[in-house]
């Protein structure tokens, strides 16, 4: 097949990020000569797909999905499947069946270098990514013919408000227009109504959250004490659920506070930085207060709501996380990192293997030469500038990703074989 055409390719889209990105991607693939179909599982999927003749509603139960998917592959003669995230049940089953048949599996995810990039891989992402088996030496060899500096992140990013808006709109459709999809069940534990209320609450409380965050950050920045950062994640996020040793966020919180209390010098503090999309479904602030009191460090433990991480990283001594991609912002600054889950960046060259109390007491520093090679490798392969949620971010992403999807090699093999297309210069994404 030609790199420049979609002739004889049949793309089947499953669930994507909230908003119109998958629709825009499908429209561009159609222009290459490919056939494009979309399976929708609820009214939210349907609302953001604007090509009715290619839309296939799935109204069965999750137990019906695998056989329906197999039949659909044969009926449409599918060559490629496209999805966002690979661990929710409908996607995991689809990936398994597609791989059995030798189909190409295109996986999108939030960027490993987020928030300024998104991730495009084949076969799997996060703990299922090919990066998990790659060494830094392999990456260095693949980079030998390239001498470009990795781009710096831009000074401004504005996708978050779009992300929250499209999340709320998506759940509104599922809540009020889902009559044709009575068997639909969310892949997360909350009901659709609960999800909608949380998104709406976040939108309405954004000014108050901003004020709370500014006050907490200012108090820490002006406190004059050394501090360690704990980079929190969403408990319902797939990386936390499927690629970590914890069953709940409080388990992680207690482990970190216990390690801090027993290992950190008495004048050091601990700052828990919430995920930007933290929505209150788990009362992490209450849990932090409880464990801080239990281990006798209440006066040295702080909580900061979401928002940008850079201000807190400026003076941080270390960073601890389950497997948050935010850890890469810390590594980029040379800050020692401790990781507990499976992560694409968890390489021995730059992630500490010390026990947690020892890490807080005297952390080993990352090998920055190795990390720079790793970062360059990702930005030459699976990390694409742009975003799913803002119009400008989608335009920037689409300029590159369609050609990569049509290419015979995945992003990692393309770099190794010298077939990778030139990368875009990073632009500010609003």
């Amino acid at each position: 097949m030609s790199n420049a055409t979609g002739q004889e390719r049949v793309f089947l889209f499953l669930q994507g990020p909230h908003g119109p990105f998958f629709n825009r991607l499908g429209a561009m693939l159609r222009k290459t000569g490919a056939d494009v179909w979309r399976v929708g599982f609820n009214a939210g999927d349907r609302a953001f797909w604007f090509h009715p003749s290619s839309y296939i509603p799935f109204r069965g139960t999750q137990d019906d999905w695998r056989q329906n998917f197999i039949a659909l592959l044969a009926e449409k003669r599918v060559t490629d499947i496209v999805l966002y995230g690979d661990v929710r049940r409908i996607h995991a089953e689809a990936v398994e069946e597609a791989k059995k048949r030798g189909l190409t599996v295109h996986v999108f995810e939030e960027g490993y270098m987020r928030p300024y990039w998104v991730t495009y891989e084949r076969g799997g992402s996060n703990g299922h990514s090919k990066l998990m088996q790659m060494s830094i030496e392999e990456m260095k060899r693949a980079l030998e013919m390239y001498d470009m500096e990795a781009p710096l992140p831009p000074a401004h990013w504005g996708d978050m408000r779009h992300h929250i808006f499209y999340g709320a709109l998506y759940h509104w459709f599922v809540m009020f227009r889902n009559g044709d999809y009575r068997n639909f069940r969310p892949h997360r534990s909350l009901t659709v109504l609960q999800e909608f209320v949380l998104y709406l609450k976040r939108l309405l409380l954004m000014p108050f959250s901003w004020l709370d965050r500014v006050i907490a950050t200012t108090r820490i920045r002006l406190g004059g004490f050394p501090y360690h950062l704990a980079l929190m994640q969403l408990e319902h996020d797939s990386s936390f659920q499927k690629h970590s040793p914890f069953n709940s966020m409080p388990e992680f919180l207690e482990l970190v506070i216990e390690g801090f209390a027993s290992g950190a010098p008495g004048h050091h503090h601990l700052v828990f930085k919430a995920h930007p999309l933290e929505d209150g479904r788990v009362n992490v602030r209450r849990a932090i207060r409880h464990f801080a009191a239990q281990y006798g460090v209440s006066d040295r433990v702080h909580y900061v709501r979401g928002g940008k991480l850079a201000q807190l990283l400026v003076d941080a001594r270390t960073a601890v996380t389950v497997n948050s991609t935010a850890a890469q912002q810390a590594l980029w600054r040379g800050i020692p990192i401790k990781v507990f889950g499976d992560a694409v960046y968890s390489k021995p060259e730059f992630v500490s293997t010390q026990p947690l109390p020892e890490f807080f007491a005297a952390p080993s520093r990352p090998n920055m030469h190795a990390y720079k090679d790793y970062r360059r490798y990702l930005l030459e392969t699976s990390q694409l500038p742009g975003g799913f949620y803002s119009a400008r971010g989608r335009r920037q992403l689409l300029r590159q990703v369609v050609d990569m999807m049509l290419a015979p090699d995945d992003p990692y093999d393309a770099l190794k074989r010298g077939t990778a297309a030139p990368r875009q210069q990073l632009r500010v994404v609003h």
Side-chain angles (χ1 to χ4, degrees):
M1 300 174 190
S2 167
N3 288 7
T5 179
Q7 296 291 337
E8 300 181 14
R9 302 282 286 273
V10 180
F11 290 83
L12 181 65
F13 282 62
L14 302 183
Q15 289 195 294
H18 298 150
F21 172 68
F22 261 20
N23 179 74
R24 289 286 308 278
L25 178 60
M28 191 170 284
L29 283 168
R30 225 173 273 119
K31 290 179 180 178
T32 72
D35 286 338
V36 177
W37 299 91
R38 169 71 190 269
V39 180
F41 298 84
N42 58 55
D45 294 340
R46 175 67 186 85
F48 290 111
W49 189 259
F50 308 132
H51 194 264
S53 62
S54 64
Y55 181 77
I56 304 168
F58 175 74
R59 299 187 176 97
T61 66
Q62 287 201 344
D63 291 338
D64 301 329
W65 165 240
R66 186 185 291 266
Q67 289 306 313
N68 275 264
F69 177 71
I70 292 170
L72 194 56
L73 294 180
E75 177 190 338
K76 302 299 184 186
R77 298 184 179 182
V78 172
T79 61
D80 302 69
I81 67 168
V82 186
L83 43 87
Y84 171 73
D86 63 351
V87 296
R88 66 187 70 176
R89 179 178 169 184
I90 56 173
H91 286 176
E93 291 181 355
V95 169
E96 182 182 340
E97 294 299 333
K99 286 182 175 180
K100 285 180 186 177
R101 292 157 177 78
L103 308 183
T104 302
V105 178
H106 306 269
V107 183
F108 287 90
E109 253 295 2
E110 303 295 340
Y112 297 146
M113 299 289 187
R114 74 182 70 170
Y116 312 107
W117 292 271
V118 303
T119 298
Y120 165 70
E121 296 180 281
R122 295 189 187 173
S125 64
N126 292 311
H128 299 141
S129 168
K130 290 175 69 172
L131 291 168
M132 297 298 295
Q133 282 73 49
M134 287 188 205
S135 68
I136 300 299
E137 285 304 313
E138 288 178 77
M139 297 177 188
K140 286 176 67 174
R141 287 196 296 272
L143 288 167
E144 284 176 353
M145 68 180 74
Y146 302 94
D147 195 31
M148 292 180 64
E149 287 294 320
L152 297 175
H156 176 71
W157 176 67
D159 248 12
M160 185 56 67
R161 62 185 182 274
H162 302 94
H163 191 161
I164 295 171
F165 169 76
Y166 281 126
L169 186 58
Y170 177 91
H171 285 95
W172 184 90
F173 277 105
V174 177
M175 191 165 59
F176 293 111
R177 293 288 186 269
N178 221 43
D180 288 342
Y181 302 88
R182 299 186 186 280
N183 290 313
F184 172 72
R185 297 293 180 272
H187 64 281
R188 293 172 179 158
S189 58
L190 296 187
T191 67
V192 174
L193 175 59
Q194 289 171 319
E195 290 270 5
F196 174 76
V197 168
L198 288 172
Y199 272 103
L200 185 60
K201 182 180 176 182
R202 274 189 52 78
L203 281 172
L204 296 176
L205 294 180
M206 283 183 79
F208 304 98
S209 299
W210 172 83
L211 182 61
D212 181 81
R213 180 169 65 249
V214 168
I215 292 171
T217 302
T218 303
R219 188 177 295 138
I220 293 162
R221 295 292 305 279
L222 298 181
F225 44 75
Y227 62 85
H228 306 263
L229 269 180
L231 306 175
M232 298 171 64
Q233 295 162 246
L234 302 175
E235 186 179 274
H236 58 272
D237 182 74
S238 61
S239 292
F240 186 91
Q241 290 289 326
K242 303 295 184 180
H243 304 301
S244 90
F246 303 106
N247 294 314
S248 70
M249 182 55 66
E251 289 180 18
F252 169 69
L253 301 178
E254 181 175 13
L255 180 69
V256 173
I257 292 174
E258 181 184 17
F260 171 79
S262 61
H267 63 294
H268 284 207
H269 287 230
L270 175 63
V271 177
F272 284 93
K273 165 68 171 62
H275 188 280
L277 290 173
E278 180 59 58
D279 53 20
R281 68 185 68 192
V282 177
N283 195 329
V284 291
R285 177 173 290 196
R286 181 189 300 166
I288 290 168
R289 286 174 177 165
H290 169 75
F291 293 127
Q294 179 179 329
Y295 291 98
V297 290
S298 293
D299 59 334
R300 295 195 288 140
V301 174
H302 311 263
Y303 173 77
V304 179
R305 291 178 185 264
K308 293 182 180 179
L309 182 59
Q311 283 187 317
L312 290 171
L313 284 172
V314 170
D315 297 312
R317 302 297 288 270
T318 70
V320 180
T321 186
V322 178
N323 51 13
S324 171
T325 55
Q328 301 222 42
Q329 295 186 49
L331 283 169
W332 184 59
R333 292 166 171 82
I335 297 171
I337 291 288
K338 176 69 177 174
V339 177
F340 289 95
D342 297 329
V344 294
Y345 58 82
S346 187
K347 306 296 182 185
E349 289 87 349
F350 41 78
V351 171
S352 175
T353 57
Q354 298 166 279
L356 193 53
E358 181 183 325
F359 176 77
F360 280 127
S364 58
R365 297 180 63 179
N367 179 332
M368 290 307 293
H369 291 293
Y371 180 69
K372 287 176 181 176
D373 288 330
Y374 169 84
R375 186 173 184 273
R376 273 188 62 214
Y377 182 79
L378 260 64
L379 294 176
E380 287 283 358
T381 53
S382 61
Q383 302 306 289
L384 305 183
F388 298 127
Y389 305 105
S390 70
R392 183 176 296 187
R394 288 191 295 272
R395 287 196 299 269
Q396 189 173 8
L397 180 53
L398 287 166
R399 288 188 182 102
Q400 189 152 359
V401 73
V402 172
D403 288 342
M404 293 178 70
M405 293 175 72
L406 295 175
D409 295 326
D410 75 14
Y412 306 120
D413 289 339
L415 186 71
K416 183 167 59 178
R417 295 172 184 166
T419 61
R423 309 317 301 270
Q424 289 178 286
Q425 294 298 310
L426 188 67
R427 299 179 179 85
V428 176
V429 179
H430 294 285

